[in-house]
Amino acid sequence: MAEQIHTVSGMSCGHCAASITEEVLEVPGVTDVDVDVPASLVTVRGESVDADAVRAAIVEAGYEVTESMRTAVA
């Protein structure tokens, strides 16, 4: 399983987190989304997840991705 961490600007509340989660869960391969509003982070887990598609989903929800990082999870 892989993990992606995206720094996202413009998030301020639980509604922001819910909107992002809803959009990102539609990306093929995504199994889990964790939105940390105070830290401005969106963590995405799954298999063969296209980072560009995740960024596009976050933008579709109305937010800006300022940085992205991939990590491997055992």
Side-chain angles (χ1 to χ4, degrees):
M1 179 172 296
E3 180 177 87
Q4 300 175 13
I5 301 171
H6 303 274
T7 304
V8 177
S9 65
M11 299 187 301
S12 62
C13 64
H15 175 69
C16 299
S19 295
I20 289 171
T21 299
E22 181 180 341
E23 289 292 334
V24 174
L25 282 173
E26 293 182 15
V27 175
V30 172
T31 58
D32 183 52
V33 178
D34 179 45
V35 179
D36 185 340
V37 173
S40 299
L41 296 176
V42 176
T43 303
V44 179
R45 293 175 195 86
E47 293 296 332
S48 302
V49 176
D50 182 349
D52 289 334
V54 171
R55 286 189 291 273
I58 293 170
V59 169
E60 179 68 27
Y63 304 91
E64 181 182 356
V65 178
T66 58
E67 186 178 359
S68 298
M69 178 176 83
R70 287 187 191 194
T71 61
V73 176

